[in-house]
């Protein structure tokens, strides 16, 4: 498959913004290859509500057969909720970085994100391909959550060593994610 003229949607996480983590570099690299890259500002990132984040993703939707979804941290959970409720064509590829799909720590702003819990038997049918990228030394979302998420989705697991994949942890560039998008490995 030729990964030109694709739409790539990047969804940031909790307390995040469009220029967060490796997103500016990835956007530049993908646009240089002839792709359209959408990086929305998610509403109220300090007090995120699942329904408003899903609504924001829904408003961006393009043709799923030519679209790759990339989430970071809470952005992964938002994508999973979006996909669970979505009907229609299957997405080309979903890439989840430093993500999680169940409660693993008590965080007041995220209390209701997984009540009820996600149905991975439904979600995994919504994309042709799944990739999970997670660091063994992620102090915010433990590596076991990335492993669990990959197992639920039958995803390829790419292991990094850049913490929560933020700029200050050395993830200004993330070639493994670029390769996952353009290489269709």
């Amino acid at each position: 498959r030729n990964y030109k003229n694709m739409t790539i949607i990047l969804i940031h996480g909790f307390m995040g913004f469009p220029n967060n983590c490796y997103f500016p570099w990835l956007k530049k690299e993908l646009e240089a290859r002839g792709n359209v890259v959408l990086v929305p500002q998610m509403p109220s990132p300090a007090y995120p509500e699942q329904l408003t984040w899903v609504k924001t993703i829904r408003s961006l939707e393009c043709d799923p057969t030519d679209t790759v979804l990339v989430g970071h941290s809470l952005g992964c959970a938002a994508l999973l909720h979006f996909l669970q409720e979505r009907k229609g064509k299957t997405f080309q590829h979903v890439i989840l970085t430093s993500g999680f799909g169940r409660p693993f720590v008590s965080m007041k702003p995220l209390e209701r994100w997984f009540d009820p819990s996600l149905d991975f038997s439904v979600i995994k049918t919504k994309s042709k391909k799944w990739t999970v990228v997670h660091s063994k030394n992620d102090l915010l979302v433990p590596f076991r959550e990335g492993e669990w998420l990959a197992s639920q989705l039958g995803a390829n697991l790419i292991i990094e060593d850049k913490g929560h994949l933020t700029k200050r942890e050395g993830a200004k560039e993330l070639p493994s994610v670029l390769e996952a998008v353009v290489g269709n490995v």
Side-chain angles (χ1 to χ4, degrees):
R1 175 151 183 97
N2 182 2
Y3 269 66
K4 285 188 188 241
N5 303 317
M6 298 286 290
T7 299
I8 296 93
I9 299 173
L10 309 178
I11 304 297
H12 69 73
F14 180 64
M15 303 287 285
F17 46 93
N19 287 330
N20 211 18
C21 59
Y22 58 89
F23 281 7
W25 171 82
L26 184 62
K27 182 179 191 308
K28 182 180 170 192
E29 292 290 324
L30 291 168
E31 287 176 342
R33 288 165 171 79
N35 299 290
V36 173
V37 182
L38 305 175
V39 193
Q41 173 63 61
M42 300 307 283
S44 304
Y47 300 97
E49 292 183 13
Q50 184 234 110
L51 294 176
T52 58
W53 279 39
V54 168
K55 184 178 177 182
T56 300
I57 297 167
R58 197 181 311 120
S59 74
L60 302 168
E61 199 170 338
C62 304
D63 179 0
T65 59
D66 289 326
T67 301
V68 176
L69 303 174
V70 179
H72 178 254
S73 195
L74 186 63
C76 299
L79 286 173
L80 293 170
H81 280 286
F82 162 74
L83 290 166
Q84 179 171 268
E85 74 164 29
R86 194 182 174 288
K87 307 278 188 254
K89 295 178 185 172
T90 304
F91 280 86
Q92 189 62 36
H93 194 169
V94 178
I95 302 166
L96 306 174
T97 67
S98 300
F100 53 99
R102 63 182 180 180
F104 64 92
V105 67
S106 178
M107 288 179 71
K108 196 82 169 145
L110 309 181
E111 265 178 4
R112 297 193 322 248
W113 271 71
F114 298 104
D115 185 22
S117 59
L118 291 165
D119 184 347
F120 286 94
S121 66
V122 169
I123 294 167
K124 68 182 178 181
T125 67
K126 306 294 177 95
S127 180
K128 291 179 183 171
K129 184 172 185 177
W130 293 90
T131 301
V132 170
V133 181
H134 214 99
S135 292
K136 282 199 170 186
N137 61 347
D138 188 331
L139 298 178
L140 293 176
V141 180
F143 182 68
R144 71 176 180 274
E145 295 304 318
E147 287 180 307
W148 181 85
L149 193 56
S151 73
Q152 297 302 302
L153 296 165
N156 178 29
L157 176 61
I158 297 172
I159 300 170
E160 286 286 350
D161 67 349
K162 294 180 173 138
H164 195 57
L165 304 178
T166 63
K167 285 181 183 175
R168 72 179 152 76
E169 293 171 299
K172 290 178 185 168
E173 298 179 3
L174 207 52
S176 62
V177 175
L178 176 63
E179 180 59 29
V181 174
V182 300
N184 197 21
V185 292

